């Protein structure tokens, strides 16, 4: 499986990260080696195809949130960071505006990146 991932990745690290997550999901679900191989075979070789599959397999209850985040990202004047997008994803839409202006703690930064 490792060799197959390496070959299909064609040097695209983000593709590897996303595919490894999928394989780990399979392991969590108790997939057999053959199931993991089939899972890997079913994943498109390029990021565009992979993103398309991800969007098409999204549960409908996430459509609104995903649409909001895509619109914010698209409308941003400059590239948005994960930290910025995590504030946009907050239920309390004023949270970022009410915070004291100071450097973000590393622990909060890590938490926001992991939970985004």
């Amino acid at each position: 499986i490792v060799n197959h991932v390496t070959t299909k990745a064609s040097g695209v690290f983000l593709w590897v990260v996303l595919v490894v997550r999928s394989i780990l999901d399979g392991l969590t679900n108790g997939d057999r080696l053959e199931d993991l191989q089939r899972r890997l075979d079913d994943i498109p070789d390029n990021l565009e195809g992979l993103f398309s599959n991800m969007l098409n397999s999204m549960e409908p209850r996430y459509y609104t949130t995903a649409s909001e985040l895509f619109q914010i990202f698209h409308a941003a004047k400059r590239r948005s960071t994960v930290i910025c997008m995590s504030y946009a994803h907050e239920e309390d839409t004023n949270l970022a505006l009410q915070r004291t202006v100071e450097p973000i703690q590393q622990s909060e930064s890590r938490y926001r990146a992991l939970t985004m």
Side-chain angles (χ1 to χ4, degrees):
I1 287 184
V2 172
N3 288 337
H4 196 168
V5 169
T6 305
T7 302
K8 280 187 82 167
S10 300
V12 180
F13 181 72
L14 179 57
W15 187 93
V16 173
V17 170
L18 296 171
V19 168
V20 167
R21 282 186 186 167
S22 176
I23 291 171
L24 290 173
D25 286 344
L27 288 170
T28 300
N29 294 336
D31 287 2
R32 300 168 301 158
L33 185 58
E34 297 82 20
D35 299 325
L36 296 173
Q37 187 64 50
R38 196 168 318 120
R39 180 184 287 260
L40 180 57
D41 291 340
D42 291 344
I43 295 173
D45 292 356
N46 58 52
L47 281 177
E48 185 175 331
L50 182 57
F51 288 149
S52 179
N53 277 7
M54 291 169 67
L55 289 173
N56 290 330
S57 65
M58 185 186 313
E59 293 182 41
R61 65 180 164 176
Y62 298 121
Y63 289 170
T64 300
T65 302
S67 175
E68 290 169 352
L69 292 172
F70 286 142
Q71 289 178 56
I72 290 168
F73 191 82
H74 180 69
K77 301 285 186 224
R78 54 189 164 147
R79 186 182 299 159
S80 296
T81 65
V82 172
I83 301 301
C84 177
M85 295 303 287
S86 75
Y87 279 104
H89 192 247
E90 286 285 343
E91 281 192 46
D92 179 357
T93 55
N94 290 316
L95 181 66
L97 300 173
Q98 296 168 344
R99 286 192 57 132
T100 304
V101 177
E102 62 186 10
I104 191 169
Q105 297 292 320
Q106 186 176 9
S107 59
E108 182 180 0
S109 176
R110 185 177 305 120
Y111 172 79
R112 288 189 167 280
L114 292 172
T115 59
M116 186 54 204

